[in-house]
Amino acid sequence: MAEANWIWYPGDFEIWLGNIFNNRRTERGAMFPPFWKQDSHFVTVEFSKSFELTEEETVTIACEGQFNLALDGKLSSPESGEVKWGLNNSYKTLTVPKGRHKLNLKVWNQATPPALFIDGKTVKTDSTWLVTYEDKLWIDENGVAHGSGIYVPAASWNFNSIDTPPSAYQLARKEQRPVCSRATTTNGTLYDFGRETFGYLKVKGLKGAVHIFYGESEEEALDKAHCETLDLLHEGETLGSKAFRYVYIEKDEDSSYDEVLMDYEYAPYDPKRSGSFRCSDEELNKIWEISAYTLDLTTREFFMDGIKRDRWTWSGDAIQSYLMNYYLRFDTECVKRTIRQLRGKDPVTAHVNTIMDYTFYWFKSILDYYQYSGDVDFVREMWPRMVTLMNYVEGRLNDNGMAEGQPDDWIFVDWVDFPMHKRGTLCFEQILLMKAMETMALCAKLLGINKSTYRVKAEELRNKIKQTFWSYEQKAYYHAIEDGQMNRQITKFPNMFAILYGLAYEEERREIMKSVMLNPDIPAITTPYMRFYELEALCTMGHHKEVLQEIKSYWGGMLREGATTFWEKYVPSEKGTEHLAMYGRPYGKSLCHAWGASPLYLLGKYFLGVRPTKPGYEEYEIRPSLGGLEWISGDVPTPFGPIHIEMNRKEILIESHGGKGTLILGEQKIPIDLVDSRFLCTFAGDL
């Protein structure tokens, strides 16, 4: 029998934890909360379960909050005499007679999400329990509405013990020491922890007070006037989590301390179920390793953007983290937590993170998750919130049925170094909206819901985009309609998404590659954020050699500048401390940014060549490419364990523990129906 789990109202724990998470950001010691709406958990919820006992059963009950209990519709208390109550290690116990019963518990908690844990021989809290935030009816297992209640998903991540309630959740820690230090003044010392890291600084044996200046670079830590993260620590106090490599500590007069350490904070993972990559190019191996470390540092309670500055969850950043994660750790729980937290509660009053394109990415992230995990229950859980968010989107479309930024919207697209308007009706935004509507149609079909209107709307928008923005002369999609006139600027953004999201057909895709993606006259993309999609589009069109060279040039360039994690932005022409500046601030750039880790995804999906073709890798394809390398080797994590691939110019070795695979080499399709076995394919000539 499955073990008991703590349960709560779906999404409420993520919303509560997300508020704590997103409000940890500081700038020069001042609190810096996010600028979008933050929701709260329901303070009173009711849990319900019907069951039949063949014999009397005693269950142990724990709650986060105060509760009352009704058995078969009658309130019960230790004094009622109707059932047997007791205490067991400070937890309440309840003895229920045999027979068919219905158990209802109302839990109130203003401070943390109401949560429930019940453990008995057969009666256990799990995903079959119902929960509602109103005294109304319920939704049954067939999705039939009987009121406002919905099924509670089991809280299966780290909450299967009565002694580990959800509100006590924290990441793992381990103590680390600086690799070196040096005195810079009579009362100041600079400590170097060897590489970018994240955690809690500890000043052992402190007497008096010290001023602490953190830096992702040595220059930042030593620049007290402009350092963006700092603390004043007094004797007996503790510090919050920070990102840094260097720490400069300056003592007050008559102050002293013994040593400086840190508690490194991290999300644990199982190396045996993780992805890996090795090849004949050592620089590329280093790039993969630094990418993995970058994603690990930004994988926390949620997927965050950068560990020093924002420390927030952003939907555009997160969708890339999800995809990279599917090829590194396959942490599906963190994906679900982040998707729930980003969405928040109804009513919808603004776009996700206030950014229109980030709302559209949010929809696609759910379909991506289903494709990699096969978890239809999560899609079912999110469906009502998908509907209300799409209703909000459709309520803000212009008269032509297209998405256009309103005064309270942020149209992001990317940080760009060339003139580009972000007003009017952007082609880029319409392509993302089309994909969001297609996602709605596919999820409705998956859930057996008759919502063909989404499919019709997606197809209508597809046709409008092509008729409005495609230039037969330029062989490209134009930028936008502004003030009723076409802005004929050509950028890579809408054109590469036309390839990736299936707007462009085969002939158009080839034309776009020539006229835009491989055209040196088109403005270059300078952020890893959009290079993710640019290089994916090139891989999709078979330009693997060019992609490898771009990875070595761009990410290798950061390595040659001394990067120990990958950055928010990299401009090769910049020199020295210019690489540290952004937003008009000398140290404004994030030097550990999640979207900098995209080689994980590119190398896993397009060089090892593994992707699911049916949800949860029930079926998958392996389309490997050496891209000019002598050999590649690696693992791609799946729900049933890693798929291992080794390839050189003469042969391919594949090991798998489940699913049904197809090896694709050019026009050849070779079935590899493996379960706990090895597949070796040898060729007479070079691959």
Side-chain angles (χ1 to χ4, degrees):
M1 176 174 289
E3 58 190 357
N5 279 281
W6 284 92
I7 58 175
W8 56 83
Y9 190 90
D12 268 14
F13 175 73
E14 289 80 0
I15 288 168
W16 170 80
L17 184 63
N19 289 342
I20 296 172
F21 182 90
N22 282 326
N23 284 285
R24 290 176 184 159
R25 176 179 176 178
T26 62
E27 290 202 5
R28 290 192 64 81
M31 179 201 178
F32 199 102
F35 49 78
W36 51 82
K37 176 173 72 83
Q38 297 183 76
D39 296 317
S40 295
H41 61 271
F42 294 121
V43 298
T44 303
V45 298
E46 181 174 355
F47 301 92
S48 178
K49 172 75 173 179
S50 295
F51 53 88
E52 186 164 3
L53 300 179
T54 59
E55 59 184 5
E56 180 181 87
E57 183 170 328
T58 298
V59 298
T60 301
I61 302 173
C63 274
E64 293 234 86
Q66 300 179 37
F67 75 94
N68 72 25
L69 180 149
L71 183 65
D72 302 326
K74 296 180 181 180
L75 281 177
S76 297
S77 70
E79 292 78 27
S80 67
E82 296 177 357
V83 293
K84 300 176 186 176
W85 286 83
L87 288 175
N88 179 17
N89 297 326
S90 79
Y91 300 113
K92 292 184 178 180
T93 62
L94 177 73
T95 302
V96 184
K98 73 175 184 178
R100 183 158 185 80
H101 301 286
K102 184 176 182 181
L103 194 58
N104 287 66
L105 292 93
K106 282 190 177 180
V107 184
W108 171 79
N109 192 334
Q110 195 76 31
T112 66
L116 176 67
F117 186 97
I118 295 180
D119 196 13
K121 182 178 179 181
T122 62
V123 180
K124 300 173 184 287
T125 43
D126 58 19
S127 61
T128 64
W129 282 67
L130 294 167
V131 61
T132 187
Y133 59 90
E134 294 182 298
D135 278 334
K136 291 188 178 179
L137 302 175
W138 311 85
I139 293 176
D140 66 23
E141 64 271 17
N142 298 313
V144 178
H146 301 283
S148 60
I150 61 174
Y151 267 94
V152 176
S156 59
W157 48 282
N158 202 37
F159 298 139
N160 53 16
S161 167
I162 197 170
D163 297 316
T164 57
S167 67
Y169 174 71
Q170 62 179 354
L171 298 176
R173 301 185 191 184
K174 60 183 177 183
E175 191 173 80
Q176 292 186 348
R177 297 178 177 274
V179 298
C180 63
S181 64
R182 76 172 192 271
T184 59
T185 63
T186 55
N187 63 340
T189 303
L190 180 71
Y191 297 88
D192 179 4
F193 282 82
R195 61 177 180 171
E196 185 93 3
T197 189
F198 187 94
Y200 300 81
L201 196 72
K202 300 189 296 186
V203 183
K204 307 291 286 186
L206 175 62
K207 304 294 183 184
V210 292
H211 298 265
I212 304 172
F213 302 89
Y214 304 86
E216 293 187 302
S217 63
E218 180 176 334
E219 291 87 349
E220 181 180 11
L222 292 173
D223 189 344
K224 296 190 294 182
H226 299 99
C227 173
E228 301 206 338
T229 311
L230 48 84
D231 276 315
L232 172 60
L233 180 66
H234 293 90
E235 181 179 345
E237 295 178 340
T238 58
L239 297 167
S241 60
K242 300 291 192 300
F244 54 90
R245 172 178 172 176
Y246 298 91
V247 178
Y248 174 62
I249 297 182
E250 197 168 72
K251 295 181 291 186
D252 280 356
E253 188 175 353
D254 298 326
S255 295
S256 64
Y257 60 88
D258 296 332
E259 62 177 337
V260 174
L261 305 169
M262 73 164 295
D263 281 339
Y264 171 60
E265 186 182 59
Y266 63 99
Y269 60 85
D270 182 356
K272 294 180 180 178
R273 298 187 64 85
S274 294
S276 67
F277 180 85
R278 296 287 297 171
C279 71
S280 54
D281 187 309
E282 282 304 318
E283 183 180 52
L284 202 59
N285 294 335
K286 186 67 173 178
I287 289 170
W288 190 92
E289 291 166 5
I290 297 297
S291 296
Y293 184 58
T294 300
L295 186 62
D296 283 341
L297 281 179
T298 55
T299 303
R300 316 212 66 76
E301 296 94 331
F302 306 94
F303 289 104
M304 69 160 66
D305 60 339
I307 64 174
K308 183 192 83 167
R309 192 191 59 243
D310 285 15
R311 300 180 59 171
W312 292 341
T313 51
W314 295 91
S315 182
D317 304 59
I319 191 172
Q320 293 191 2
S321 291
Y322 306 151
L323 292 169
M324 292 182 264
N325 164 69
Y326 298 139
Y327 287 89
L328 181 63
R329 306 297 179 209
F330 211 79
D331 185 347
T332 54
E333 294 301 330
C334 192
V335 174
K336 291 189 290 184
R337 289 198 299 270
T338 308
I339 290 174
R340 290 176 181 130
Q341 191 270 329
L342 282 166
R343 174 57 181 85
K345 289 182 178 291
D346 290 330
V348 183
T349 59
H351 281 296
V352 176
N353 306 126
T354 76
I355 301 177
M356 189 163 69
D357 21 318
Y358 280 26
T359 289
F360 302 151
Y361 289 132
W362 183 86
F363 287 102
K364 183 177 180 292
S365 71
I366 294 173
L367 190 61
D368 288 342
Y369 169 79
Y370 172 65
Q371 188 67 17
Y372 281 94
S373 71
D375 180 4
V376 69
D377 289 337
F378 182 69
V379 181
R380 184 176 293 109
E381 175 196 332
M382 298 311 299
W383 176 253
R385 296 186 187 187
M386 294 173 70
V387 171
T388 50
L389 183 57
M390 183 55 76
N391 289 344
Y392 173 82
V393 168
E394 292 188 285
R396 294 167 72 88
L397 301 181
N398 64 20
D399 292 340
N400 198 31
M402 292 191 180
E404 187 169 329
Q406 303 297 316
D408 56 337
D409 294 335
W410 179 2
I411 308 301
F412 177 59
V413 186
D414 190 21
W415 301 121
V416 296
D417 296 315
F418 55 88
M420 185 182 82
H421 293 168
K422 297 182 182 180
R423 61 186 180 89
T425 307
L426 273 67
C427 180
F428 168 85
E429 299 288 352
Q430 312 321 310
I431 297 173
L432 267 60
L433 173 58
M434 177 198 76
K435 193 65 175 179
M437 287 182 167
E438 289 178 351
T439 295
M440 292 295 292
L442 289 168
C443 289
K445 182 179 179 181
L446 170 67
L447 299 176
I449 298 170
N450 183 16
K451 289 287 184 180
S452 60
T453 53
Y454 291 123
R455 178 179 53 78
V456 172
K457 290 174 182 177
E459 191 60 30
E460 288 176 348
L461 182 58
R462 173 187 292 272
N463 293 332
K464 285 180 185 177
I465 296 169
K466 296 180 77 70
Q467 293 166 7
T468 304
F469 296 102
W470 177 253
S471 168
Y472 288 96
E473 179 183 359
Q474 299 295 330
K475 307 298 183 186
Y477 284 91
Y478 285 138
H479 176 58
I481 299 173
E482 299 177 20
D483 303 321
Q485 301 295 317
M486 180 63 71
N487 178 337
R488 298 176 182 270
Q489 183 180 19
I490 296 175
T491 69
K492 292 183 178 181
F493 304 116
N495 287 283
M496 63 194 186
F497 277 88
I499 292 173
L500 293 173
Y501 284 1
L503 174 64
Y505 298 114
E506 186 60 34
E507 181 59 30
E508 288 178 354
R509 293 163 75 187
R510 288 195 293 269
E511 291 172 339
I512 289 171
M513 289 302 299
K514 182 178 179 181
S515 62
V516 181
M517 303 307 296
L518 300 176
N519 184 351
D521 295 329
I522 301 298
I525 293 173
T526 58
T527 65
Y529 177 49
M530 279 291 150
R531 298 225 85 185
F532 179 102
Y533 297 112
E534 177 186 21
L535 298 185
E536 181 172 21
L538 292 176
C539 285
T540 300
M541 297 302 292
H543 292 267
H544 293 74
K545 289 184 179 180
E546 292 89 337
V547 168
L548 274 188
Q549 291 307 309
E550 285 295 306
I551 291 175
K552 285 172 60 63
S553 173
Y554 190 78
W555 280 267
M558 284 186 264
L559 290 184
R560 290 185 285 277
E561 293 290 343
T564 62
T565 51
F566 287 130
W567 306 344
E568 181 177 14
K569 186 178 181 181
Y570 171 60
V571 180
S573 60
E574 293 177 342
K575 304 295 182 185
T577 57
E578 291 178 330
H579 287 300
L580 308 177
M582 202 168 173
Y583 311 110
R585 308 193 319 249
Y587 310 108
K589 186 181 294 180
S590 167
L591 300 188
C592 176
H593 215 76
W595 69 37
S598 52
L600 297 171
Y601 175 68
L602 297 169
L603 294 172
K605 184 175 181 180
Y606 293 102
F607 288 84
L608 295 178
V610 181
R611 71 176 185 91
T613 53
K614 282 192 176 181
Y617 283 90
E618 178 185 349
E619 293 184 10
Y620 59 89
E621 72 171 31
I622 300 177
R623 193 188 296 260
S625 175
L626 290 172
L629 297 167
E630 293 296 321
W631 58 268
I632 57 174
S633 174
D635 298 278
V636 172
T638 76
F640 51 75
I643 297 173
H644 179 73
I645 300 100
E646 296 178 17
M647 179 181 182
N648 57 38
R649 296 181 183 277
K650 297 291 185 183
E651 61 184 20
I652 299 171
L653 172 67
I654 298 169
E655 298 181 51
S656 178
H657 303 283
K660 181 179 181 181
T662 301
L663 173 63
I664 300 177
L665 296 170
E667 299 300 319
Q668 287 185 290
K669 293 186 177 181
I670 307 167
I672 46 173
D673 194 359
L674 303 176
V675 177
D676 295 322
S677 59
R678 296 159 59 93
F679 174 88
L680 179 64
C681 189
T682 305
F683 299 90
D686 285 350
L687 290 176

